[in-house]
Amino acid sequence: MSKDLQGLGALVTGGASGIGLATARLLSERGARVAVLDLNPDGVPHPLSGYRTDVGDDGSVRAAVESAARDLGGLDILVNNAGVGAVGTVEDQSDEQWHAVLDINVLGIVRTTRAALPYLREAARSRPGTASVVNTCSIGATAGLPQRALYCASKGAVLSLTLAMAADHIREGIRVNCVNPGTTDTPWVGRLLDAADDPEAERAALNARQPLGRLVTVDEVAAAIGYLVSPAAASVTGTSLAVDGGMHGLRVRPVPVS
């Protein structure tokens, strides 16, 4: 495997499971020193380092980012992956639930990036071309999904925030992009399936919703993030990279029922 990230410091929020853990492992395999910020980082495998963090709390975020940057010897890469899901229409969630999800999915990115920016600026000055931010967005930012009003609204905000951040920090040498996964085989999706009346039928429906006919894997999303933070993407900023099995852009005919 390429060691194109050798010696760089990387921070991944929500990195103890799912897309975050797959990403943290990939960046480490490619030579980066990787810190994971998570509510429960106890199971993070070596050589990753874990920091207990609540992205909903500014003090917690600032303390964790400062500790991680110090331990890593600097910070070149930030992956804002922490997030929560929500199921329902606009009628189904209270104002409190809306505030709670937006606070994690949108303001969590704001808090972590705000705390990391001094270190990213230093990386851009001392190691030009290395400073990069990737936000985990979603197909929900660009496509209307049933029973996902609050979740889609939060991810639409992440997409717009990514573009604004890219414009704000391009002159500082910091690139900002996002990945837009389709329905991905993560622990959260697994819990949704387990709670369904017919988990097998629900999984089949989710598979069929994506033109490739299956869920996206966490490693596929991690590979996209790995590209966006790499030297190969030096001219890529303000971009949303879809990893959705063709869900957003393709309109294929249904598979005939035999």
Side-chain angles (χ1 to χ4, degrees), residues 3-45:
K3 295 293 184 179
D4 57 340
L5 305 180
Q6 188 70 46
L8 303 185
L11 189 155
V12 181
T13 69
S17 65
I19 292 170
L21 179 56
T23 300
R25 281 175 161 158
L26 178 65
L27 300 185
S28 178
E29 290 168 1
R30 287 168 53 181
R33 301 183 301 276
V34 183
V36 164
L37 273 57
D38 202 280
L39 279 172
N40 183 17
D42 295 341
V44 171

Short mmCIF file of all heavy atoms in Angstrom, two decimals, residues 3-45:
data_model
loop_
_atom_site.label_atom_id
_atom_site.label_comp_id
_atom_site.label_asym_id
_atom_site.label_seq_id
_atom_site.Cartn_x
_atom_site.Cartn_y
_atom_site.Cartn_z
N LYS A 3 2.47 4.76 0.84
CA LYS A 3 2.71 5.49 2.08
C LYS A 3 2.69 6.99 1.80
O LYS A 3 3.51 7.75 2.32
CB LYS A 3 4.04 5.07 2.69
CG LYS A 3 4.09 3.61 3.13
CD LYS A 3 3.16 3.34 4.31
CE LYS A 3 3.28 1.91 4.80
NZ LYS A 3 2.39 1.64 5.96
N ASP A 4 1.71 7.43 1.00
CA ASP A 4 1.67 8.83 0.58
C ASP A 4 1.31 9.79 1.70
O ASP A 4 1.43 11.01 1.54
CB ASP A 4 0.71 9.01 -0.60
CG ASP A 4 -0.71 8.52 -0.29
OD1 ASP A 4 -0.88 7.73 0.66
OD2 ASP A 4 -1.64 8.93 -1.01
N LEU A 5 0.87 9.27 2.85
CA LEU A 5 0.53 10.12 3.99
C LEU A 5 1.57 10.00 5.10
O LEU A 5 1.32 10.39 6.24
CB LEU A 5 -0.86 9.76 4.53
CG LEU A 5 -2.00 9.79 3.52
CD1 LEU A 5 -3.31 9.41 4.19
CD2 LEU A 5 -2.12 11.16 2.85
N GLN A 6 2.73 9.47 4.76
CA GLN A 6 3.77 9.21 5.75
C GLN A 6 4.11 10.47 6.55
O GLN A 6 4.40 11.53 5.99
CB GLN A 6 5.05 8.71 5.06
CG GLN A 6 6.13 8.23 6.02
CD GLN A 6 5.74 6.93 6.71
OE1 GLN A 6 5.26 6.01 6.05
NE2 GLN A 6 5.94 6.87 8.00
N GLY A 7 4.03 10.33 7.88
CA GLY A 7 4.43 11.42 8.76
C GLY A 7 3.39 12.48 9.01
O GLY A 7 3.62 13.39 9.81
N LEU A 8 2.24 12.40 8.37
CA LEU A 8 1.20 13.40 8.58
C LEU A 8 0.35 13.05 9.80
O LEU A 8 0.20 11.88 10.16
CB LEU A 8 0.31 13.52 7.34
CG LEU A 8 0.98 13.86 6.02
CD1 LEU A 8 -0.07 14.06 4.94
CD2 LEU A 8 1.85 15.09 6.16
N GLY A 9 -0.21 14.07 10.43
CA GLY A 9 -1.11 13.87 11.56
C GLY A 9 -2.55 13.97 11.10
O GLY A 9 -2.93 14.93 10.42
N ALA A 10 -3.35 12.98 11.46
CA ALA A 10 -4.75 12.95 11.03
C ALA A 10 -5.67 12.75 12.23
O ALA A 10 -5.35 11.99 13.15
CB ALA A 10 -4.97 11.83 10.02
N LEU A 11 -6.80 13.41 12.19
CA LEU A 11 -7.81 13.31 13.25
C LEU A 11 -9.13 12.91 12.62
O LEU A 11 -9.56 13.52 11.64
CB LEU A 11 -7.92 14.66 13.96
CG LEU A 11 -8.74 14.77 15.23
CD1 LEU A 11 -8.23 15.95 16.06
CD2 LEU A 11 -10.22 14.99 14.91
N VAL A 12 -9.77 11.87 13.18
CA VAL A 12 -11.04 11.38 12.65
C VAL A 12 -12.06 11.39 13.77
O VAL A 12 -11.89 10.69 14.79
CB VAL A 12 -10.89 9.95 12.09
CG1 VAL A 12 -12.23 9.46 11.52
CG2 VAL A 12 -9.80 9.88 11.04
N THR A 13 -13.14 12.15 13.62
CA THR A 13 -14.19 12.13 14.63
C THR A 13 -15.15 10.97 14.33
O THR A 13 -15.33 10.57 13.18
CB THR A 13 -14.97 13.45 14.68
OG1 THR A 13 -15.76 13.61 13.48
CG2 THR A 13 -14.04 14.64 14.84
N GLY A 14 -15.77 10.45 15.39
CA GLY A 14 -16.62 9.29 15.20
C GLY A 14 -15.84 8.12 14.64
O GLY A 14 -16.36 7.33 13.85
N GLY A 15 -14.58 7.99 15.07
CA GLY A 15 -13.67 7.05 14.43
C GLY A 15 -13.56 5.69 15.10
O GLY A 15 -12.66 4.92 14.76
N ALA A 16 -14.46 5.38 16.03
CA ALA A 16 -14.36 4.11 16.73
C ALA A 16 -15.18 3.00 16.08
O ALA A 16 -15.10 1.84 16.50
CB ALA A 16 -14.81 4.27 18.19
N SER A 17 -15.95 3.33 15.05
CA SER A 17 -16.76 2.30 14.38
C SER A 17 -17.14 2.78 12.99
O SER A 17 -16.95 3.95 12.64
CB SER A 17 -18.03 1.99 15.18
OG SER A 17 -18.89 3.13 15.22
N GLY A 18 -17.67 1.87 12.19
CA GLY A 18 -18.23 2.21 10.89
C GLY A 18 -17.26 2.89 9.95
O GLY A 18 -16.10 2.53 9.84
N ILE A 19 -17.76 3.92 9.24
CA ILE A 19 -16.96 4.65 8.28
C ILE A 19 -15.74 5.27 8.94
O ILE A 19 -14.64 5.27 8.39
CB ILE A 19 -17.81 5.73 7.58
CG1 ILE A 19 -18.88 5.08 6.69
CG2 ILE A 19 -16.94 6.67 6.76
CD1 ILE A 19 -19.91 6.06 6.16
N GLY A 20 -15.91 5.81 10.13
CA GLY A 20 -14.81 6.47 10.81
C GLY A 20 -13.66 5.53 11.11
O GLY A 20 -12.49 5.87 10.89
N LEU A 21 -13.96 4.34 11.62
CA LEU A 21 -12.91 3.38 11.95
C LEU A 21 -12.22 2.89 10.67
O LEU A 21 -10.99 2.77 10.63
CB LEU A 21 -13.49 2.20 12.72
CG LEU A 21 -12.49 1.11 13.12
CD1 LEU A 21 -11.33 1.68 13.92
CD2 LEU A 21 -13.21 0.00 13.89
N ALA A 22 -13.00 2.61 9.63
CA ALA A 22 -12.40 2.18 8.37
C ALA A 22 -11.47 3.25 7.82
O ALA A 22 -10.39 2.95 7.30
CB ALA A 22 -13.50 1.85 7.35
N THR A 23 -11.87 4.51 7.96
CA THR A 23 -11.04 5.61 7.48
C THR A 23 -9.77 5.75 8.31
O THR A 23 -8.67 5.92 7.77
CB THR A 23 -11.83 6.92 7.52
OG1 THR A 23 -12.99 6.81 6.67
CG2 THR A 23 -10.99 8.10 7.07
N ALA A 24 -9.91 5.70 9.62
CA ALA A 24 -8.75 5.82 10.51
C ALA A 24 -7.73 4.72 10.21
O ALA A 24 -6.52 4.97 10.15
CB ALA A 24 -9.19 5.77 11.97
N ARG A 25 -8.20 3.52 10.02
CA ARG A 25 -7.29 2.41 9.71
C ARG A 25 -6.58 2.63 8.38
O ARG A 25 -5.37 2.40 8.25
CB ARG A 25 -8.09 1.10 9.67
CG ARG A 25 -8.41 0.53 11.04
CD ARG A 25 -9.30 -0.68 10.93
NE ARG A 25 -9.27 -1.50 12.14
CZ ARG A 25 -10.22 -2.35 12.48
NH1 ARG A 25 -11.29 -2.50 11.70
NH2 ARG A 25 -10.12 -3.06 13.59
N LEU A 26 -7.33 3.07 7.38
CA LEU A 26 -6.74 3.29 6.06
C LEU A 26 -5.67 4.38 6.11
O LEU A 26 -4.58 4.21 5.56
CB LEU A 26 -7.83 3.68 5.06
CG LEU A 26 -7.33 4.00 3.64
CD1 LEU A 26 -6.73 2.77 2.98
CD2 LEU A 26 -8.47 4.57 2.79
N LEU A 27 -5.96 5.49 6.77
CA LEU A 27 -4.98 6.57 6.85
C LEU A 27 -3.73 6.10 7.58
O LEU A 27 -2.60 6.46 7.21
CB LEU A 27 -5.60 7.78 7.56
CG LEU A 27 -6.84 8.41 6.92
CD1 LEU A 27 -7.24 9.67 7.67
CD2 LEU A 27 -6.62 8.71 5.45
N SER A 28 -3.92 5.30 8.62
CA SER A 28 -2.78 4.76 9.36
C SER A 28 -1.94 3.83 8.48
O SER A 28 -0.70 3.90 8.48
CB SER A 28 -3.26 4.02 10.60
OG SER A 28 -2.19 3.45 11.31
N GLU A 29 -2.61 2.98 7.73
CA GLU A 29 -1.89 2.06 6.84
C GLU A 29 -1.08 2.81 5.80
O GLU A 29 -0.05 2.30 5.31
CB GLU A 29 -2.88 1.11 6.17
CG GLU A 29 -3.51 0.09 7.11
CD GLU A 29 -4.69 -0.63 6.49
OE1 GLU A 29 -5.01 -0.35 5.31
OE2 GLU A 29 -5.31 -1.46 7.19
N ARG A 30 -1.52 4.01 5.46
CA ARG A 30 -0.82 4.81 4.45
C ARG A 30 0.20 5.76 5.06
O ARG A 30 0.72 6.63 4.40
CB ARG A 30 -1.84 5.56 3.59
CG ARG A 30 -2.55 4.60 2.66
CD ARG A 30 -3.76 5.17 1.97
NE ARG A 30 -3.51 6.42 1.28
CZ ARG A 30 -4.45 7.10 0.62
NH1 ARG A 30 -5.68 6.62 0.58
NH2 ARG A 30 -4.16 8.23 0.02
N GLY A 31 0.49 5.56 6.34
CA GLY A 31 1.60 6.26 6.95
C GLY A 31 1.26 7.38 7.90
O GLY A 31 2.16 7.93 8.55
N ALA A 32 -0.01 7.77 8.00
CA ALA A 32 -0.38 8.86 8.89
C ALA A 32 -0.39 8.41 10.36
O ALA A 32 -0.64 7.24 10.66
CB ALA A 32 -1.76 9.41 8.52
N ARG A 33 -0.11 9.35 11.25
CA ARG A 33 -0.35 9.14 12.68
C ARG A 33 -1.79 9.58 12.92
O ARG A 33 -2.15 10.72 12.63
CB ARG A 33 0.62 9.98 13.51
CG ARG A 33 2.09 9.66 13.22
CD ARG A 33 3.01 10.47 14.14
NE ARG A 33 2.80 11.90 13.97
CZ ARG A 33 3.36 12.64 13.03
NH1 ARG A 33 4.18 12.08 12.13
NH2 ARG A 33 3.13 13.94 12.95
N VAL A 34 -2.62 8.70 13.48
CA VAL A 34 -4.07 8.93 13.48
C VAL A 34 -4.63 8.96 14.90
O VAL A 34 -4.39 8.04 15.70
CB VAL A 34 -4.81 7.86 12.67
CG1 VAL A 34 -6.30 8.15 12.63
CG2 VAL A 34 -4.24 7.78 11.24
N ALA A 35 -5.37 10.02 15.20
CA ALA A 35 -6.11 10.14 16.44
C ALA A 35 -7.60 10.02 16.16
O ALA A 35 -8.11 10.59 15.19
CB ALA A 35 -5.81 11.49 17.11
N VAL A 36 -8.28 9.26 17.00
CA VAL A 36 -9.71 9.05 16.88
C VAL A 36 -10.42 9.78 18.02
O VAL A 36 -10.09 9.59 19.19
CB VAL A 36 -10.04 7.54 16.95
CG1 VAL A 36 -11.52 7.31 17.21
CG2 VAL A 36 -9.62 6.86 15.65
N LEU A 37 -11.37 10.64 17.67
CA LEU A 37 -12.21 11.31 18.66
C LEU A 37 -13.58 10.66 18.64
O LEU A 37 -14.22 10.59 17.59
CB LEU A 37 -12.33 12.80 18.35
CG LEU A 37 -11.26 13.73 18.90
CD1 LEU A 37 -9.87 13.32 18.44
CD2 LEU A 37 -11.54 15.18 18.51
N ASP A 38 -14.02 10.16 19.80
CA ASP A 38 -15.27 9.42 19.84
C ASP A 38 -15.83 9.44 21.25
O ASP A 38 -15.08 9.58 22.23
CB ASP A 38 -15.03 7.97 19.39
CG ASP A 38 -16.29 7.28 18.91
OD1 ASP A 38 -17.08 6.83 19.76
OD2 ASP A 38 -16.49 7.20 17.69
N LEU A 39 -17.15 9.28 21.36
CA LEU A 39 -17.77 9.16 22.68
C LEU A 39 -17.24 7.95 23.44
O LEU A 39 -17.15 7.96 24.67
CB LEU A 39 -19.30 9.06 22.54
CG LEU A 39 -20.07 10.35 22.32
CD1 LEU A 39 -21.52 10.03 22.00
CD2 LEU A 39 -19.98 11.27 23.55
N ASN A 40 -16.92 6.89 22.70
CA ASN A 40 -16.41 5.67 23.32
C ASN A 40 -15.24 5.14 22.52
O ASN A 40 -15.41 4.26 21.66
CB ASN A 40 -17.52 4.62 23.43
CG ASN A 40 -17.05 3.37 24.13
OD1 ASN A 40 -16.02 3.36 24.82
ND2 ASN A 40 -17.80 2.29 23.98
N PRO A 41 -14.03 5.65 22.78
CA PRO A 41 -12.87 5.24 21.98
C PRO A 41 -12.12 4.04 22.56
O PRO A 41 -11.03 3.71 22.07
CB PRO A 41 -11.99 6.49 22.05
CG PRO A 41 -12.25 7.03 23.42
CD PRO A 41 -13.71 6.72 23.72
N ASP A 42 -12.68 3.37 23.57
CA ASP A 42 -11.94 2.34 24.28
C ASP A 42 -11.49 1.18 23.39
O ASP A 42 -10.45 0.57 23.64
CB ASP A 42 -12.76 1.79 25.46
CG ASP A 42 -13.01 2.85 26.52
OD1 ASP A 42 -12.26 3.85 26.54
OD2 ASP A 42 -13.94 2.68 27.32
N GLY A 43 -12.29 0.85 22.38
CA GLY A 43 -11.94 -0.30 21.54
C GLY A 43 -11.11 0.03 20.33
O GLY A 43 -10.90 -0.84 19.47
N VAL A 44 -10.61 1.26 20.25
CA VAL A 44 -9.82 1.65 19.07
C VAL A 44 -8.52 0.85 19.03
O VAL A 44 -7.76 0.83 20.01
CB VAL A 44 -9.52 3.16 19.11
CG1 VAL A 44 -8.53 3.53 18.02
CG2 VAL A 44 -10.80 3.96 18.94
N PRO A 45 -8.25 0.17 17.91
CA PRO A 45 -7.07 -0.70 17.85
C PRO A 45 -5.77 0.06 17.65
O PRO A 45 -5.75 1.15 17.07
CB PRO A 45 -7.36 -1.59 16.64
CG PRO A 45 -8.20 -0.73 15.75
CD PRO A 45 -9.04 0.11 16.67
#
